Amino acid sequence: MSKTIISTEHAPAAIGTYSQAVRVENTVYVSGQIPLNPTTMEMVEGFEQQAVQVFENLTAVIEA
């Protein structure tokens, strides 16, 4: 079974003992994201901005 750890600097670094994503064969398992700006590692403010940041983080991990 082939397993690949996926990470990118375009999303917040994993805090703890998990990966941003793991690919096993043809399946990719993506960790949840919170609205951290990956450059500053600070939470963005405002509900809409937080939602946008979460999806930007997820997109960055999936693209990696």
Side-chain angles (χ1 to χ4, degrees):
M1 184 180 323
S2 171
K3 175 177 146 182
T4 305
I5 303 299
I6 299 170
S7 65
T8 177
E9 61 187 33
H10 301 291
I15 301 170
T17 58
Y18 65 93
S19 303
Q20 291 173 327
V22 178
R23 179 179 179 179
V24 179
E25 302 288 330
N26 294 324
T27 304
V28 177
Y29 300 92
V30 180
S31 68
Q33 291 290 320
I34 58 176
L36 282 179
N37 177 312
T39 304
T40 64
M41 290 299 284
E42 293 182 8
M43 296 276 268
V44 296
E45 295 193 24
F47 178 78
E48 288 182 25
Q49 293 85 352
Q50 289 177 345
V52 168
Q53 187 66 58
V54 165
F55 282 102
E56 287 177 356
N57 294 344
L58 285 170
T59 299
V61 172
I62 291 168
E63 286 177 345

